[in-house]
Amino acid sequence: LEFTGSMRTWMIAAVGNTMKVVGASSTGFIGTICLMCLLVHACPRCADNVYRKEIGGNFTFMDGQPVHLSWFTGNTSNVVPAEAYAFWKAVLAQGVSQGMGAFEIDFLNYNFNLYDEFTTQPGVFSSWIASLDRAAMDARVPVQYCMALPQQILNTVNLRAVTTTRVSADGGRKCANTRTSEPPLR
């Protein structure tokens, strides 16, 4: 299995119910995961992602503000809201066909703050995230939020596919797998 198009590319080999992560660009993580199904993770995409029309993909992307995180520095992009439903439907269909059982949309705070369309046009982000919800319901895939802003959590009362949320402090500090001497956030 190969999931691409985000800031990370995960290569996963499946043998029965054990999946071996054989490579993950930009993280260097190698390990074994014992799962019945996959939780596929997505965050803002690189500006040169494979889904972008200019690179041979099928979707139009809006460019975000440059960002510097502990594991990524550069320009990001995200599918335009008008094409979000078709995009999420395609991504989730690919995931389901390869064993995905749930989907995590990560860095929601960045997904909101990096794009002028979301921060200057009321309702545009809600429409974009509702497209993910609708596509997830169509694919029968539960969605987990990560690093969501309070208003995004509150908006889930209008959504049906979001089943869980994960509060994370991993988005601006050194990742746990870098063997830093920094204590964990408390």
Side-chain angles (χ1 to χ4, degrees), residues 63-157:
D63 293 320
Q65 306 298 323
V67 65
H68 171 73
L69 302 170
S70 57
W71 47 268
F72 176 80
T73 298
N75 295 317
T76 62
S77 68
N78 222 321
V79 67
V80 296
E83 297 178 25
Y85 173 73
F87 172 76
W88 291 121
K89 187 173 178 173
V91 168
L92 295 175
Q94 178 188 5
V96 168
S97 74
Q98 297 182 43
M100 180 181 72
F103 183 76
E104 179 181 301
I105 182 79
D106 199 356
F107 288 85
L108 274 170
N109 56 344
Y110 286 96
N111 271 299
F112 178 76
N113 289 320
L114 290 176
Y115 303 98
D116 291 338
E117 291 86 341
F118 292 159
T119 59
T120 62
Q121 300 173 32
V124 173
F125 181 84
S126 292
S127 171
W128 179 83
I129 203 72
S131 295
L132 168 60
D133 184 72
R134 198 172 85 207
M137 288 301 296
D138 291 350
R140 301 177 58 88
V141 172
V143 173
Q144 174 173 288
Y145 276 7
C146 187
M147 296 175 64
L149 296 168
Q151 66 267 29
Q152 294 163 344
I153 298 294
L154 291 172
N155 187 51
T156 63
V157 300

Coordinates of all heavy atoms in Angstrom, one line a residue, residues 63-157:
D63 N -3.1 27.7 -2.5 CA -1.9 27.7 -1.8 C -2.0 28.4 -0.5 O -2.7 29.4 -0.4 CB -0.8 28.4 -2.7 CG -0.5 27.6 -3.9 OD1 -0.4 26.3 -3.8 OD2 -0.3 28.1 -5.0
G64 N -1.3 27.9 0.5 CA -1.4 28.4 1.8 C -0.1 29.2 2.2 O 0.8 29.4 1.3
Q65 N -0.1 29.8 3.4 CA 1.0 30.5 3.8 C 2.2 29.5 4.1 O 2.0 28.4 4.4 CB 0.7 31.2 5.2 CG -0.5 32.1 5.1 CD -0.4 33.2 4.2 OE1 0.7 33.8 4.0 NE2 -1.5 33.6 3.5
P66 N 3.4 30.0 3.8 CA 4.6 29.1 4.2 C 4.5 28.7 5.7 O 4.1 29.5 6.5 CB 5.8 29.9 3.8 CG 5.3 31.0 2.9 CD 3.9 31.2 3.3
V67 N 5.0 27.6 6.0 CA 4.9 27.1 7.4 C 6.3 26.4 7.8 O 7.0 25.9 6.9 CB 3.8 26.1 7.5 CG1 4.0 24.8 6.8 CG2 3.5 25.8 9.0
H68 N 6.6 26.6 9.0 CA 7.7 25.8 9.6 C 7.3 25.1 10.8 O 6.8 25.6 11.8 CB 8.9 26.8 10.0 CG 10.0 26.1 10.7 ND1 10.8 25.2 10.1 CD2 10.3 26.0 12.0 CE1 11.7 24.7 11.0 NE2 11.3 25.2 12.2
L69 N 7.3 23.7 10.7 CA 7.0 22.8 11.8 C 8.3 22.0 12.1 O 9.3 22.1 11.3 CB 5.9 21.9 11.4 CG 4.6 22.6 11.0 CD1 3.6 21.5 10.4 CD2 4.0 23.3 12.1
S70 N 8.3 21.3 13.1 CA 9.4 20.5 13.5 C 9.8 19.5 12.4 O 11.0 19.1 12.3 CB 9.2 19.8 14.8 OG 8.1 18.9 14.7
W71 N 8.9 19.1 11.6 CA 9.1 18.0 10.6 C 8.9 18.5 9.1 O 9.1 17.7 8.2 CB 8.3 16.8 10.8 CG 6.8 17.1 11.1 CD1 6.3 17.4 12.3 CD2 5.8 17.3 10.1 NE1 4.9 17.7 12.2 CE2 4.6 17.7 10.8 CE3 5.7 17.3 8.7 CZ2 3.4 17.9 10.2 CZ3 4.5 17.5 8.1 CH2 3.4 17.8 8.9
F72 N 8.6 19.8 8.9 CA 8.3 20.3 7.6 C 8.5 21.8 7.5 O 8.1 22.5 8.4 CB 6.9 20.0 7.1 CG 6.5 20.5 5.8 CD1 6.9 19.9 4.6 CD2 5.8 21.7 5.7 CE1 6.6 20.4 3.4 CE2 5.5 22.2 4.5 CZ 5.9 21.6 3.3
T73 N 9.2 22.2 6.5 CA 9.3 23.7 6.2 C 9.0 23.8 4.7 O 9.6 23.2 3.9 CB 10.7 24.2 6.5 OG1 11.0 24.0 7.9 CG2 10.8 25.6 6.1
G74 N 8.1 24.7 4.4 CA 7.8 25.0 3.0 C 6.4 25.5 2.8 O 5.7 25.9 3.7
N75 N 5.9 25.4 1.5 CA 4.6 25.8 1.1 C 3.6 24.7 1.2 O 4.0 23.6 0.8 CB 4.7 26.4 -0.3 CG 5.6 27.7 -0.3 OD1 5.5 28.5 0.6 ND2 6.4 27.8 -1.3
T76 N 2.4 25.0 1.6 CA 1.4 24.0 1.6 C 0.3 24.3 0.6 O 0.2 25.5 0.1 CB 0.8 24.0 3.0 OG1 0.2 25.2 3.3 CG2 1.8 23.6 4.1
S77 N -0.6 23.4 0.4 CA -1.7 23.6 -0.4 C -2.9 22.7 0.0 O -2.6 21.7 0.7 CB -1.4 23.3 -1.9 OG -1.2 22.0 -2.1
N78 N -4.1 23.1 -0.3 CA -5.2 22.3 0.0 C -6.2 22.4 -1.1 O -6.3 23.4 -1.8 CB -5.8 22.7 1.4 CG -6.2 21.6 2.2 OD1 -6.7 20.6 1.8 ND2 -6.0 21.7 3.5
V79 N -7.0 21.4 -1.3 CA -8.0 21.4 -2.3 C -9.0 22.5 -2.1 O -9.4 22.9 -1.0 CB -8.8 20.0 -2.4 CG1 -9.6 19.8 -1.2 CG2 -9.6 19.9 -3.7
V80 N -9.4 23.2 -3.2 CA -10.4 24.3 -3.1 C -11.7 23.7 -2.7 O -12.1 22.6 -3.0 CB -10.5 25.0 -4.5 CG1 -9.2 25.7 -4.8 CG2 -11.0 24.1 -5.6
P81 N -12.4 24.5 -1.9 CA -13.7 24.0 -1.3 C -14.7 23.5 -2.4 O -15.4 22.5 -2.2 CB -14.3 25.3 -0.6 CG -13.0 26.0 -0.2 CD -12.1 25.8 -1.3
A82 N -14.7 24.1 -3.6 CA -15.7 23.7 -4.6 C -15.4 22.3 -5.1 O -16.3 21.6 -5.6 CB -15.6 24.7 -5.8
E83 N -14.2 21.8 -4.9 CA -13.8 20.5 -5.4 C -13.5 19.5 -4.2 O -13.1 18.4 -4.4 CB -12.6 20.5 -6.3 CG -12.8 21.3 -7.6 CD -11.6 21.4 -8.4 OE1 -10.7 20.5 -8.4 OE2 -11.5 22.4 -9.2
A84 N -13.8 20.0 -3.0 CA -13.5 19.2 -1.8 C -14.2 17.9 -1.7 O -13.6 16.8 -1.4 CB -13.7 20.0 -0.5
Y85 N -15.5 17.8 -2.0 CA -16.3 16.6 -2.0 C -15.7 15.5 -2.9 O -15.4 14.4 -2.5 CB -17.7 16.8 -2.2 CG -18.5 15.5 -2.3 CD1 -18.8 14.8 -1.1 CD2 -18.9 15.0 -3.5 CE1 -19.5 13.6 -1.2 CE2 -19.6 13.8 -3.6 CZ -19.9 13.1 -2.4 OH -20.5 11.9 -2.5
A86 N -15.5 15.9 -4.2 CA -14.9 15.0 -5.1 C -13.5 14.5 -4.7 O -13.2 13.3 -4.9 CB -14.9 15.6 -6.5
F87 N -12.7 15.4 -4.2 CA -11.4 15.1 -3.7 C -11.4 14.1 -2.6 O -10.8 13.0 -2.6 CB -10.6 16.3 -3.3 CG -9.3 16.0 -2.6 CD1 -8.2 15.7 -3.4 CD2 -9.2 16.1 -1.2 CE1 -7.0 15.4 -2.8 CE2 -8.0 15.9 -0.6 CZ -6.9 15.5 -1.4
W88 N -12.2 14.4 -1.5 CA -12.3 13.5 -0.4 C -12.9 12.1 -0.8 O -12.5 11.1 -0.3 CB -13.1 14.1 0.7 CG -12.4 15.3 1.4 CD1 -12.8 16.5 1.5 CD2 -11.1 15.3 2.0 NE1 -11.9 17.3 2.1 CE2 -10.9 16.6 2.5 CE3 -10.1 14.3 2.3 CZ2 -9.7 16.9 3.2 CZ3 -9.0 14.6 2.9 CH2 -8.8 15.9 3.4
K89 N -13.8 12.2 -1.7 CA -14.5 10.9 -2.2 C -13.4 10.0 -2.8 O -13.4 8.8 -2.6 CB -15.6 11.2 -3.1 CG -16.4 10.0 -3.5 CD -17.6 10.4 -4.3 CE -18.4 9.2 -4.7 NZ -19.6 9.5 -5.4
A90 N -12.6 10.6 -3.7 CA -11.5 9.9 -4.3 C -10.5 9.3 -3.3 O -10.0 8.2 -3.4 CB -10.8 10.7 -5.4
V91 N -10.0 10.2 -2.4 CA -9.0 9.8 -1.4 C -9.6 8.7 -0.5 O -8.9 7.7 -0.3 CB -8.6 11.0 -0.6 CG1 -7.8 10.6 0.6 CG2 -7.8 12.0 -1.4
L92 N -10.8 8.8 -0.1 CA -11.4 7.8 0.8 C -11.6 6.5 0.1 O -11.5 5.4 0.6 CB -12.6 8.3 1.5 CG -12.4 9.5 2.4 CD1 -13.7 10.1 2.9 CD2 -11.5 9.2 3.6
A93 N -12.1 6.6 -1.2 CA -12.3 5.4 -2.0 C -11.0 4.6 -2.1 O -10.9 3.4 -2.0 CB -12.9 5.7 -3.3
Q94 N -9.9 5.3 -2.4 CA -8.6 4.6 -2.5 C -8.2 4.0 -1.2 O -7.8 2.9 -1.2 CB -7.5 5.6 -2.9 CG -6.1 5.0 -3.0 CD -5.0 6.0 -3.2 OE1 -5.2 7.2 -3.2 NE2 -3.8 5.5 -3.4
G95 N -8.4 4.7 -0.1 CA -8.1 4.2 1.2 C -8.9 2.9 1.5 O -8.4 1.9 2.0
V96 N -10.2 3.0 1.3 CA -11.1 1.8 1.6 C -10.7 0.6 0.8 O -10.6 -0.5 1.3 CB -12.6 2.2 1.4 CG1 -13.5 1.0 1.4 CG2 -13.0 3.2 2.5
S97 N -10.3 0.9 -0.5 CA -9.9 -0.2 -1.4 C -8.6 -0.9 -0.9 O -8.4 -2.0 -1.3 CB -9.8 0.2 -2.8 OG -8.6 1.0 -3.0
Q98 N -7.9 -0.2 0.0 CA -6.6 -0.7 0.4 C -6.6 -1.1 1.9 O -5.6 -1.2 2.5 CB -5.5 0.3 0.1 CG -5.3 0.5 -1.4 CD -4.2 1.5 -1.7 OE1 -3.1 1.4 -1.1 NE2 -4.4 2.3 -2.6
G99 N -7.8 -1.2 2.5 CA -7.9 -1.6 3.9 C -8.1 -0.5 4.9 O -8.1 -0.8 6.1
M100 N -8.4 0.7 4.5 CA -8.6 1.7 5.5 C -9.9 1.5 6.2 O -10.9 1.3 5.6 CB -8.6 3.1 4.8 CG -8.9 4.3 5.7 SD -8.9 5.9 4.9 CE -10.5 5.7 4.1
G101 N -9.9 1.7 7.5 CA -11.1 1.5 8.3 C -11.5 2.8 9.0 O -12.6 2.9 9.5
A102 N -10.6 3.8 9.0 CA -10.9 5.1 9.6 C -10.0 6.1 9.0 O -8.9 5.8 8.5 CB -10.8 5.0 11.2
F103 N -10.3 7.4 9.2 CA -9.5 8.5 8.6 C -9.3 9.6 9.6 O -10.3 10.0 10.3 CB -10.3 9.0 7.4 CG -9.5 10.1 6.6 CD1 -8.5 9.8 5.8 CD2 -9.9 11.4 6.8 CE1 -7.8 10.8 5.1 CE2 -9.2 12.4 6.1 CZ -8.2 12.1 5.2
E104 N -8.1 10.0 9.7 CA -7.8 11.1 10.6 C -7.4 12.3 9.8 O -6.5 12.3 9.0 CB -6.6 10.8 11.6 CG -6.3 12.0 12.5 CD -5.1 11.7 13.4 OE1 -5.2 10.7 14.2 OE2 -4.1 12.4 13.3
I105 N -8.1 13.4 10.0 CA -7.7 14.7 9.4 C -6.9 15.5 10.5 O -7.5 15.8 11.6 CB -8.9 15.5 8.9 CG1 -8.5 16.8 8.2 CG2 -10.0 15.7 10.0 CD1 -8.0 16.7 6.9
D106 N -5.7 15.6 10.3 CA -4.8 16.2 11.3 C -4.5 17.7 11.0 O -4.7 18.2 9.9 CB -3.5 15.4 11.3 CG -2.6 15.6 12.6 OD1 -3.0 16.4 13.4 OD2 -1.6 14.9 12.7
F107 N -3.9 18.3 12.0 CA -3.5 19.7 11.8 C -4.6 20.6 11.4 O -4.5 21.5 10.6 CB -2.3 19.8 10.9 CG -1.0 19.3 11.4 CD1 -0.7 18.0 11.4 CD2 -0.1 20.2 12.1 CE1 0.5 17.5 11.9 CE2 1.1 19.7 12.6 CZ 1.4 18.3 12.6
L108 N -5.8 20.3 12.0 CA -7.0 21.2 11.6 C -6.7 22.6 11.9 O -7.2 23.5 11.1 CB -8.2 20.7 12.3 CG -8.9 19.5 11.5 CD1 -10.0 18.9 12.4 CD2 -9.5 20.0 10.2
N109 N -6.0 22.9 13.0 CA -5.7 24.3 13.2 C -4.9 24.9 12.1 O -5.2 26.1 11.6 CB -5.0 24.5 14.6 CG -3.7 23.7 14.7 OD1 -3.5 22.7 13.9 ND2 -2.9 24.0 15.6
Y110 N -3.9 24.2 11.5 CA -3.2 24.7 10.4 C -4.0 24.7 9.1 O -4.0 25.6 8.3 CB -1.9 23.9 10.1 CG -0.8 24.1 11.1 CD1 -0.7 23.3 12.3 CD2 0.0 25.2 11.0 CE1 0.3 23.5 13.2 CE2 1.0 25.4 11.9 CZ 1.2 24.6 13.0 OH 2.1 24.8 13.9
N111 N -4.9 23.7 8.9 CA -5.7 23.6 7.8 C -6.6 24.9 7.7 O -6.9 25.4 6.7 CB -6.7 22.4 7.8 CG -6.0 21.2 7.1 OD1 -5.8 21.2 6.0 ND2 -5.8 20.2 7.9
F112 N -7.0 25.4 8.9 CA -7.8 26.6 8.9 C -6.9 27.9 8.7 O -7.2 28.7 7.9 CB -8.6 26.7 10.2 CG -9.4 27.9 10.4 CD1 -10.6 28.1 9.7 CD2 -8.9 29.0 11.2 CE1 -11.3 29.3 9.8 CE2 -9.7 30.1 11.3 CZ -10.9 30.3 10.6
N113 N -5.9 28.0 9.5 CA -5.1 29.2 9.6 C -4.2 29.5 8.4 O -3.8 30.6 8.2 CB -4.3 29.3 10.9 CG -5.1 29.5 12.1 OD1 -6.1 30.2 12.1 ND2 -4.8 28.8 13.2
L114 N -3.8 28.5 7.7 CA -2.9 28.7 6.6 C -3.5 29.2 5.3 O -2.8 29.6 4.4 CB -2.1 27.4 6.2 CG -1.1 26.9 7.3 CD1 -0.6 25.5 6.9 CD2 0.0 27.9 7.5
Y115 N -4.8 29.2 5.2 CA -5.4 29.5 3.9 C -6.3 30.7 4.0 O -7.3 30.8 4.8 CB -6.2 28.3 3.4 CG -5.3 27.1 3.3 CD1 -5.3 26.1 4.3 CD2 -4.5 27.0 2.2 CE1 -4.4 25.1 4.2 CE2 -3.6 25.9 2.1 CZ -3.5 25.0 3.1 OH -2.7 23.9 3.0
D116 N -6.0 31.8 3.2 CA -6.8 33.0 3.3 C -8.3 32.8 3.0 O -9.1 33.4 3.6 CB -6.2 34.0 2.3 CG -4.8 34.5 2.6 OD1 -4.5 34.4 3.8 OD2 -4.1 35.0 1.7
E117 N -8.6 31.8 2.1 CA -10.0 31.6 1.8 C -10.8 31.2 3.1 O -11.9 31.5 3.3 CB -10.1 30.4 0.8 CG -9.7 30.8 -0.6 CD -8.2 30.6 -0.8 OE1 -7.4 30.5 0.2 OE2 -7.7 30.6 -2.0
F118 N -10.1 30.5 4.0 CA -10.7 30.0 5.2 C -10.8 31.1 6.3 O -11.8 31.1 7.1 CB -10.0 28.8 5.8 CG -10.1 27.5 5.0 CD1 -9.2 26.5 5.2 CD2 -11.1 27.3 4.1 CE1 -9.2 25.4 4.4 CE2 -11.2 26.2 3.3 CZ -10.2 25.2 3.5
T119 N -9.8 31.9 6.3 CA -9.8 32.9 7.4 C -10.5 34.2 7.0 O -10.8 35.1 7.9 CB -8.4 33.3 7.8 OG1 -7.6 33.7 6.7 CG2 -7.7 32.0 8.4
T120 N -10.8 34.5 5.8 CA -11.4 35.7 5.3 C -12.8 35.6 4.8 O -13.5 36.6 4.7 CB -10.5 36.4 4.3 OG1 -10.5 35.6 3.1 CG2 -9.1 36.7 4.8
Q121 N -13.3 34.4 4.5 CA -14.6 34.2 3.9 C -15.4 33.3 4.9 O -15.2 32.1 4.9 CB -14.5 33.5 2.5 CG -13.7 34.4 1.5 CD -13.5 33.6 0.3 OE1 -14.3 32.8 -0.2 NE2 -12.3 33.9 -0.4
P122 N -16.3 33.9 5.6 CA -17.2 33.2 6.5 C -17.8 32.0 5.9 O -18.4 32.1 4.8 CB -18.2 34.2 7.0 CG -17.5 35.5 6.8 CD -16.7 35.3 5.6
G123 N -17.8 30.8 6.6 CA -18.5 29.6 6.1 C -17.7 28.8 5.1 O -18.1 27.6 4.9
V124 N -16.6 29.3 4.6 CA -15.9 28.5 3.6 C -15.2 27.3 4.2 O -15.3 26.2 3.7 CB -14.8 29.4 2.8 CG1 -14.0 28.5 1.9 CG2 -15.6 30.4 2.0
F125 N -14.6 27.4 5.4 CA -14.0 26.3 6.0 C -15.1 25.2 6.4 O -14.9 24.0 6.2 CB -13.2 26.6 7.3 CG -12.5 25.4 7.9 CD1 -11.3 25.0 7.4 CD2 -13.1 24.8 8.9 CE1 -10.7 23.9 8.0 CE2 -12.6 23.7 9.5 CZ -11.3 23.2 9.1
S126 N -16.2 25.7 6.9 CA -17.3 24.8 7.3 C -17.8 24.0 6.1 O -18.0 22.8 6.2 CB -18.4 25.6 7.9 OG -18.0 26.1 9.2
S127 N -17.8 24.6 5.0 CA -18.2 24.0 3.7 C -17.2 22.9 3.3 O -17.6 21.8 2.9 CB -18.4 25.0 2.6 OG -18.6 24.4 1.4
W128 N -15.9 23.3 3.4 CA -14.8 22.4 3.1 C -14.9 21.1 4.0 O -14.8 20.0 3.5 CB -13.5 23.1 3.2 CG -12.3 22.3 2.9 CD1 -11.7 22.1 1.7 CD2 -11.4 21.7 3.8 NE1 -10.6 21.4 1.8 CE2 -10.4 21.1 3.1 CE3 -11.4 21.6 5.2 CZ2 -9.3 20.4 3.7 CZ3 -10.4 20.9 5.8 CH2 -9.4 20.3 5.1
I129 N -15.0 21.3 5.3 CA -15.0 20.2 6.2 C -16.3 19.4 6.1 O -16.3 18.2 6.3 CB -14.7 20.6 7.6 CG1 -14.1 19.5 8.5 CG2 -15.8 21.2 8.3 CD1 -12.7 19.1 8.1
A130 N -17.4 20.0 5.8 CA -18.6 19.3 5.5 C -18.5 18.4 4.3 O -19.1 17.3 4.3 CB -19.8 20.3 5.4
S131 N -17.7 18.8 3.3 CA -17.5 17.9 2.2 C -16.7 16.6 2.6 O -17.1 15.6 2.1 CB -16.7 18.7 1.1 OG -17.4 19.7 0.6
L132 N -15.8 16.8 3.5 CA -15.1 15.6 4.0 C -16.1 14.7 4.7 O -16.1 13.5 4.6 CB -14.0 15.9 4.9 CG -13.4 14.8 5.8 CD1 -12.8 13.7 4.9 CD2 -12.3 15.3 6.7
D133 N -17.0 15.3 5.6 CA -18.0 14.6 6.3 C -18.9 13.8 5.4 O -19.2 12.6 5.6 CB -18.8 15.5 7.2 CG -19.7 14.8 8.1 OD1 -19.3 14.1 9.1 OD2 -20.9 14.9 7.8
R134 N -19.4 14.5 4.4 CA -20.3 13.8 3.4 C -19.6 12.7 2.7 O -20.2 11.6 2.5 CB -20.8 14.9 2.4 CG -22.1 14.4 1.7 CD -22.7 15.5 0.9 NE -22.0 15.5 -0.4 CZ -21.9 16.6 -1.1 NH1 -22.3 17.8 -0.7 NH2 -21.2 16.5 -2.3
A135 N -18.4 12.9 2.2 CA -17.6 11.8 1.5 C -17.4 10.6 2.4 O -17.4 9.5 2.0 CB -16.3 12.4 1.0
A136 N -17.1 10.9 3.7 CA -16.8 9.9 4.7 C -18.1 9.1 5.0 O -18.0 7.8 5.1 CB -16.2 10.5 6.0
M137 N -19.2 9.7 5.1 CA -20.5 9.0 5.2 C -20.8 8.2 4.0 O -21.2 7.0 4.2 CB -21.6 10.0 5.5 CG -21.6 10.7 6.8 SD -21.6 9.6 8.2 CE -23.3 8.9 8.0
D138 N -20.5 8.7 2.8 CA -20.7 7.9 1.6 C -19.8 6.6 1.6 O -20.3 5.6 1.2 CB -20.5 8.7 0.4 CG -21.5 9.8 0.1 OD1 -22.6 9.8 0.8 OD2 -21.2 10.6 -0.7
A139 N -18.6 6.8 2.1 CA -17.6 5.7 2.1 C -17.8 4.8 3.4 O -17.1 3.8 3.5 CB -16.2 6.2 2.0
R140 N -18.7 5.2 4.3 CA -18.9 4.5 5.5 C -17.6 4.4 6.4 O -17.2 3.4 6.9 CB -19.5 3.1 5.3 CG -20.8 3.2 4.6 CD -21.4 1.9 4.2 NE -21.6 1.0 5.4 CZ -22.7 1.0 6.2 NH1 -23.7 1.8 5.9 NH2 -22.8 0.2 7.2
V141 N -16.9 5.5 6.4 CA -15.6 5.6 7.1 C -15.7 6.7 8.3 O -16.1 7.8 8.0 CB -14.5 6.1 6.2 CG1 -13.2 6.4 6.9 CG2 -14.3 5.0 5.1
P142 N -15.4 6.3 9.5 CA -15.4 7.3 10.6 C -14.2 8.2 10.5 O -13.2 7.8 10.0 CB -15.4 6.4 11.9 CG -14.7 5.1 11.4 CD -15.1 4.9 10.0
V143 N -14.4 9.4 10.9 CA -13.4 10.4 10.9 C -13.0 10.8 12.3 O -13.8 10.9 13.2 CB -13.9 11.7 10.1 CG1 -12.9 12.8 10.2 CG2 -14.2 11.4 8.7
Q144 N -11.6 10.9 12.5 CA -11.1 11.4 13.7 C -10.5 12.8 13.4 O -9.7 12.9 12.5 CB -10.0 10.5 14.3 CG -9.3 11.0 15.5 CD -8.4 10.0 16.1 OE1 -8.9 9.1 16.7 NE2 -7.1 10.2 16.0
Y145 N -10.8 13.8 14.3 CA -10.1 15.1 14.2 C -8.9 15.1 15.1 O -8.8 14.4 16.1 CB -11.0 16.2 14.8 CG -12.1 16.7 13.9 CD1 -12.3 16.3 12.6 CD2 -12.8 17.8 14.3 CE1 -13.3 16.8 11.8 CE2 -13.8 18.4 13.5 CZ -14.0 17.9 12.2 OH -14.9 18.5 11.4
C146 N -7.9 15.8 14.6 CA -6.7 16.0 15.4 C -6.3 17.5 15.3 O -6.3 18.1 14.3 CB -5.5 15.1 15.0 SG -4.1 15.2 16.1
M147 N -5.9 18.1 16.5 CA -5.4 19.4 16.6 C -6.5 20.4 16.1 O -6.2 21.4 15.5 CB -4.1 19.6 15.9 CG -3.0 18.8 16.5 SD -1.4 18.9 15.6 CE -1.0 20.6 15.7
A148 N -7.7 20.1 16.5 CA -8.9 20.9 16.1 C -9.0 22.2 17.0 O -8.7 22.1 18.1 CB -10.2 20.1 16.1
L149 N -9.5 23.2 16.4 CA -9.8 24.4 17.1 C -11.1 24.3 17.8 O -11.9 23.5 17.4 CB -9.8 25.6 16.2 CG -8.5 26.0 15.5 CD1 -8.7 27.0 14.4 CD2 -7.5 26.5 16.5
P150 N -11.4 25.0 18.9 CA -12.7 24.9 19.6 C -13.9 25.0 18.6 O -14.8 24.2 18.8 CB -12.7 26.0 20.6 CG -11.2 26.2 20.9 CD -10.5 26.0 19.5
Q151 N -13.9 25.9 17.7 CA -15.0 26.1 16.8 C -15.2 24.9 15.9 O -16.3 24.5 15.5 CB -15.0 27.4 16.0 CG -13.8 27.5 15.0 CD -12.6 28.1 15.6 OE1 -12.3 28.1 16.8 NE2 -11.8 28.8 14.7
Q152 N -14.1 24.2 15.6 CA -14.2 23.0 14.7 C -14.8 21.8 15.5 O -15.6 21.1 15.0 CB -12.8 22.6 14.2 CG -12.3 23.7 13.2 CD -10.8 23.6 13.0 OE1 -10.1 22.9 13.8 NE2 -10.4 24.2 12.0
I153 N -14.5 21.7 16.8 CA -15.1 20.7 17.6 C -16.6 21.0 17.8 O -17.4 20.1 17.6 CB -14.4 20.7 19.0 CG1 -13.0 20.3 18.9 CG2 -15.2 19.7 20.0 CD1 -12.7 18.9 18.4
L154 N -17.0 22.3 18.1 CA -18.4 22.6 18.2 C -19.1 22.3 16.9 O -20.3 21.9 16.9 CB -18.5 24.1 18.6 CG -18.0 24.4 20.0 CD1 -18.0 25.9 20.3 CD2 -18.9 23.7 21.0
N155 N -18.5 22.5 15.8 CA -19.2 22.3 14.5 C -19.5 20.9 14.2 O -20.4 20.5 13.4 CB -18.3 22.9 13.3 CG -19.0 22.8 12.0 OD1 -20.1 23.3 11.9 ND2 -18.4 22.2 11.0
T156 N -18.9 19.9 14.9 CA -19.2 18.5 14.7 C -20.6 18.1 15.1 O -21.1 17.1 14.6 CB -18.2 17.6 15.5 OG1 -18.4 17.8 16.9 CG2 -16.8 17.8 15.0
V157 N -21.3 19.0 15.8 CA -22.7 18.7 16.1 C -23.5 18.7 14.8 O -24.6 18.1 14.7 CB -23.4 19.6 17.1 CG1 -22.7 19.6 18.4 CG2 -23.4 21.1 16.6

